Amino acid sequence: MAPIEGFSKLTKEEKIDWISDRYTDNSKETKATIKRYWNTDKELQKLHDEFIENTITNFYLPLGIAPNFLINDKLYAIPMAIEESSVVAAASKAAKFWLHRGGFKTKVLGTEKIGQVHFMYQGDCRKLERFFQFVKPKLIQDTSSITKNMEKRGGGITNIQLRDKSKDLKDYYQLHCTFETLDAMGANFINSCLEQLAQTWKAEALEYAEFSGEEKHIEVVMSILSNYVPNCLVRAEVSCPIQDLQEGEDISPLEFAEKMVRAVNIAKVEPFRAVTHNKGIMNGVDAVVLATGNDFRAVEAGIHAYAAKDGQYTSLTHASIDHGRFSFWIEIPLALGTVGGLTSLHPLAKMALDILDRPSAKELMQLVAVAGLAQNFAAVRSLVTTGIQQGHMKMHLMNILNQLQATEAEKNTLVSHFKKHTVTHSAVVEAIQKIRKG
Ligand code: MEV
């Protein structure tokens, strides 16, 4: 197949023809599928078309609601965008469990964002330090047109440091900058500031009297925010007297608490378990991050880096039994926004934020951390008691039935049948075949 020039310049219809005719066996069916997902509201479709380049259709994810989250004594219903069948159910179950046990308590521990100008300098590092001190006021001054509005609201560049990294990589240095971006996630703000800093830094070096020869020619390699934000941190916790953990007769509250602590401790020392343990946390985190129009890739990258900050990948949640109390908590970095980006542009993101009572970025950090903690509590609770498959397969039943093209009547019969029987793929196939054979 030949490569194509100017694909982005084709009309939407031409793009669809091109991709369907060349890359699929049944072009007609591909075109029909693509168009089935177009929105009939032309204005809304145009909005979505313009989010990215080369849009041909929309990719839907279910948006669910997990109600009954008591967070710092306020009740929330949390919107979650996710495809995995058991996630919203698990979050709702955890929310209900803690609703009558004091709810979730949260605290933002920091909101610092980070960006760096990475550059190469060949020369005397003491001279570079003197140049930095000399040019620092000008660096700040030259960004003023970018930072003016943010500063009015109390944010902006909070610090610039010169960092010598030449021991790690020959001639490599950075301007390591910190930012307060308030309710904005801040990526565009930070990157614009950094590019201006880089320009001033390079231009001033050429003029700096103390520099000679190569020293004048600073090579800026790149200027970019960091998605690792260990000081943009939030904590969420649940806690109750051990005797309040009683649920059913199968397991004593103390035994349950001990099993929970042991499971978390395993995730603390064993990376193979920690990754899956944290994946469960991200089921909750990503779903709310996505529903509110935030950048889940940034959040994922930052959180996993944080999980490895001490040199070994480990659990993001912690559990303890102390003086008869069970506590379970999470500490994660979250760079989120509730203004700018998709948050006000995507009608569903805007609606999700409305449902959450229009939170500030700090409030949203707390809600997202709670969703992660709730999800982890639900998963570990199942793992140490019934096992994960019982609940998971119950929720997955509908997917299997849809795969088997079950009718509504078949679905009703089988959903009630599998209330009393274990769901496995083969058990569902067998049961549906039995109905169909009469
Ligand atoms: C599945 O999406 C998430 C779990 O594997 C998380 C965990 O094992 O803790 C159930």
Side-chain angles (χ1 to χ4, degrees):
M1 224 167 306
I4 182 167
E5 284 290 332
F7 182 70
S8 67
K9 296 196 178 67
L10 301 182
T11 65
K12 194 164 154 185
E13 289 282 355
E14 287 167 342
K15 282 174 194 153
I16 291 168
D17 287 347
W18 186 85
I19 191 79
S20 310
D21 296 345
R22 280 173 186 70
Y23 284 88
T24 66
D25 292 334
N26 189 339
S27 170
K28 209 168 146 213
E29 195 179 303
T30 302
K31 285 175 199 172
T33 303
I34 289 170
K35 290 181 183 177
R36 224 175 126 205
Y37 283 88
W38 281 1
N39 203 297
T40 46
D41 177 339
K42 289 220 165 65
E43 212 177 301
L44 189 69
Q45 187 53 56
K46 188 163 181 291
L47 180 75
H48 282 263
D49 286 351
E50 288 172 0
F51 282 152
I52 61 167
E53 190 164 90
N54 298 343
T55 308
I56 53 170
T57 189
N58 309 303
F59 193 97
Y60 293 170
L61 277 184
L63 179 77
I65 296 288
N68 298 323
F69 272 95
L70 186 65
I71 304 173
N72 301 333
D73 301 322
K74 182 172 167 182
L75 211 48
Y76 289 89
I78 299 190
M80 304 176 92
I82 183 132
E83 87 299 346
E84 192 175 323
S85 35
S86 54
V87 169
V88 177
S92 309
K93 211 167 157 194
K96 211 159 170 198
F97 184 94
W98 287 104
L99 179 64
H100 305 297
R101 292 170 173 87
F104 295 80
K105 302 287 179 225
T106 61
K107 196 170 179 206
V108 171
L109 305 174
T111 57
E112 181 188 88
K113 310 273 172 61
I114 291 167
Q116 298 168 318
V117 177
H118 304 268
F119 66 93
M120 312 310 276
Y121 165 79
Q122 292 174 32
D124 181 345
C125 62
R126 284 160 306 179
K127 263 197 222 177
L128 186 68
E129 180 60 38
R130 285 196 292 278
F131 169 60
F132 173 63
Q133 293 306 337
F134 169 77
V135 85
K136 204 170 169 184
K138 174 98 170 101
L139 290 174
I140 302 280
Q141 189 191 320
D142 284 4
T143 57
S144 63
S145 63
I146 307 165
T147 58
K148 188 169 68 206
N149 284 336
M150 191 65 93
E151 278 172 7
K152 263 192 225 151
R153 286 180 271 129
I157 301 173
T158 51
N159 198 15
I160 306 177
Q161 288 175 340
L162 171 67
R163 289 195 173 173
D164 180 352
K165 305 293 268 184
S166 61
K167 286 194 184 68
D168 299 327
L169 184 68
K170 191 171 171 290
D171 302 333
Y172 169 40
Y173 296 81
Q174 316 166 334
L175 294 178
H176 182 93
C177 311
T178 53
F179 301 84
E180 171 54 61
T181 61
L182 306 168
D183 284 339
M185 189 267 192
N188 283 331
F189 171 76
I190 293 172
N191 289 334
S192 301
C193 287
L194 292 171
E195 288 188 4
Q196 180 56 57
L197 291 172
Q199 238 180 45
T200 304
W201 185 243
K202 254 170 67 172
E204 290 296 313
L206 285 172
E207 306 294 322
Y208 188 57
E210 250 199 86
F211 282 160
S212 57
E214 272 313 299
E215 289 170 339
K216 284 185 181 300
H217 298 282
I218 283 176
E219 184 202 338
V220 171
V221 181
M222 58 195 157
S223 310
I224 187 76
L225 94 165
S226 173
N227 290 124
Y228 183 42
V229 282
N231 297 324
C232 189
L233 203 61
V234 59
R235 179 189 161 102
E237 178 174 339
V238 283
S239 172
C240 72
I242 288 182
Q243 69 267 20
D244 291 357
L245 291 170
Q246 184 77 58
E247 273 242 312
E249 299 303 316
D250 296 347
I251 184 170
S252 81
L254 180 61
E255 202 186 337
F256 173 66
E258 283 173 345
K259 276 176 181 274
M260 290 293 289
V261 172
R262 217 172 293 133
V264 172
N265 287 344
I266 288 173
K268 284 193 179 199
V269 300
E270 168 54 56
F272 281 97
R273 172 58 201 149
V275 171
T276 317
H277 180 92
N278 291 347
K279 188 275 181 186
I281 294 170
M282 300 315 289
N283 279 343
V285 168
D286 281 343
V288 187
V289 169
L290 253 176
T292 56
N294 273 278
D295 182 343
F296 64 93
R297 287 85 57 210
V299 165
E300 282 275 351
I303 289 184
H304 292 298
Y306 189 75
K309 72 179 186 325
D310 297 322
Q312 179 181 303
Y313 191 91
T314 186
S315 167
L316 293 159
T317 52
H318 313 269
S320 71
I321 298 172
D322 197 12
H323 292 90
R325 268 191 99 74
F326 170 73
S327 300
F328 188 66
W329 70 99
I330 189 169
E331 221 176 73
I332 42 172
L334 280 170
L336 301 176
T338 53
V339 298
L342 272 202
T343 59
S344 48
L345 212 54
H346 195 303
L348 285 175
K350 196 161 168 277
M351 183 204 71
L353 287 166
D354 281 346
I355 291 173
L356 293 173
D357 201 16
R358 299 187 192 174
S360 64
K362 270 168 122 176
E363 284 163 343
L364 186 60
M365 286 168 76
Q366 298 170 68
L367 302 177
V368 170
V370 164
L373 183 67
Q375 208 61 47
N376 185 234
F377 177 80
V380 177
R381 182 187 180 197
S382 295
L383 286 168
V384 301
T385 55
T386 57
I388 205 74
Q389 283 309 82
Q390 193 187 83
H392 191 77
M393 289 309 283
K394 225 178 222 156
M395 296 308 302
H396 192 53
L397 174 61
M398 203 46 78
N399 288 343
I400 303 176
L401 291 173
N402 282 331
Q403 266 171 19
L404 299 172
Q405 295 173 338
T407 62
E408 282 310 303
E410 287 169 343
K411 281 180 188 170
N412 289 338
T413 310
L414 291 173
V415 165
S416 68
H417 170 82
F418 280 106
K419 277 194 178 130
K420 291 187 218 98
H421 296 87
T422 307
V423 181
T424 64
H425 194 275
S426 55
V428 181
V429 173
E430 238 171 70
I432 207 164
Q433 277 170 351
K434 213 164 153 193
I435 295 179
R436 286 176 181 171
K437 278 184 195 145

